Amino acid sequence: PNVSSLRKHSISSKDAASPVRRVSIEGNIAVGKSTFAKLLQSASPDWEVMTEPVSEWQNIEGKTSKERDSSPHATVSNLLQMMYQDPQRWSYTFQTYSCMTRLRTQLQPPPARLLNSKALPVQVYERSIYSDRYIFALNMFELGCINATEWMVYQDWHSLLVEQFGHQVELEGIIYLRASPQKCMERLKLRGRPEEKGVQLDYLEGLHEQHEKWLVEKSTEIHFKKLKNIPVLQLDANMEFKSDPEAREEFITKVTFIRI
Ligand code: DCP
């Protein structure tokens, strides 16, 4: 799949019922998804980024007013940290919560500005409920951090959610930011998120393999027919697109091309 197949696809599959197109940015930890998403947003007013709800995973407390009333001093948990510190104990819980909060975020209606746009508005997701399952949860299962029963339960509720809500967050394309695990490790160290201090290169290598199997080799067993046919635009994210204006320009050109 290349840029032209993504373009062809987006023309033919424009869903008249949906006022916006949705595209997800996928890639390894710290590859630069947020930077790239901001770049897209600044390049065109018709692109709106929905960021990943990482802060919710770092900061969990009772959400409903009833819960707050019953325990005003509820402790705040950092589930991201708990998962990295004790993956066997917390991976299932983390994967449940990250997928649920992502879906909740992505189900929010697009802003009016986007709906009123005369051009073709695009909502850009940082990751998707599909990478939650086919990259992270699957990887944790294969590493033995999610056991067979947890994996069965995860897949069961994930499939139900996709059946019920999938059409509301349906993707027209995926942008795969592809970089070597070594490059991601450099960027991860540079950004220094405290919870990720213990992340080792072999973990990033495992996640890289999962991305390759899903988006390049297409050998991951995917359970949703529509997802199998989604076009993928691959970008070489080893380039320093944050600091190099030429690399930035090249990325934008490739992505805007798919909108014609
Ligand atoms: N994570 C996870 N399981 C998921 C989703 C995310 O374990 N299903 C973890 C990986 C990271 C953190 O959550 O430690 C944030 O995930 P991302 O890689 O999506 O976000 P980044 O901030 O690393 O992206 P980037 O630097 O590319 O913008």
Side-chain angles (χ1 to χ4, degrees), residues 28-34 52 54 57 80 83-84 94-95 98 102 126-127 132 136 191 193 196 203:
N28 213 336
I29 300 179
V31 70
K33 292 176 294 297
S34 321
E52 203 173 38
V54 182
W57 313 335
L80 185 64
M83 191 259 310
Y84 278 125
F94 179 86
Q95 292 306 327
S98 57
R102 183 188 313 283
E126 275 185 46
R127 289 199 190 284
D132 282 333
F136 286 96
R191 112 169 135 205
R193 190 181 274 158
E196 295 171 344
Y203 185 64

Side-chain angles (χ1 to χ4, degrees), residues 10-70:
S10 49
I11 289 171
S12 60
S13 71
K14 176 88 177 95
D15 175 3
S18 173
V20 291
R21 288 150 187 262
R22 300 177 204 89
V23 170
S24 144
I25 303 177
E26 306 289 353
N28 213 336
I29 300 179
V31 70
K33 292 176 294 297
S34 321
T35 308
F36 181 66
K38 281 186 208 121
L39 186 68
L40 286 180
Q41 189 162 288
S42 64
S44 166
D46 312 315
W47 292 68
E48 170 79 20
V49 176
M50 302 211 75
T51 51
E52 203 173 38
V54 182
S55 59
E56 284 192 50
W57 313 335
Q58 293 169 307
N59 204 337
I60 303 181
E61 53 182 331
K63 281 258 163 355
T64 66
S65 54
K66 203 169 147 210
E67 277 161 344
R68 268 195 297 273
D69 290 348
S70 62

Side-chain angles (χ1 to χ4, degrees), residues 188-207:
L188 184 143
K189 292 221 165 101
L190 212 63
R191 112 169 135 205
R193 190 181 274 158
E195 294 87 345
E196 295 171 344
K197 253 197 193 127
V199 171
Q200 304 289 319
L201 184 61
D202 60 355
Y203 185 64
L204 296 186
E205 284 169 346
L207 292 173

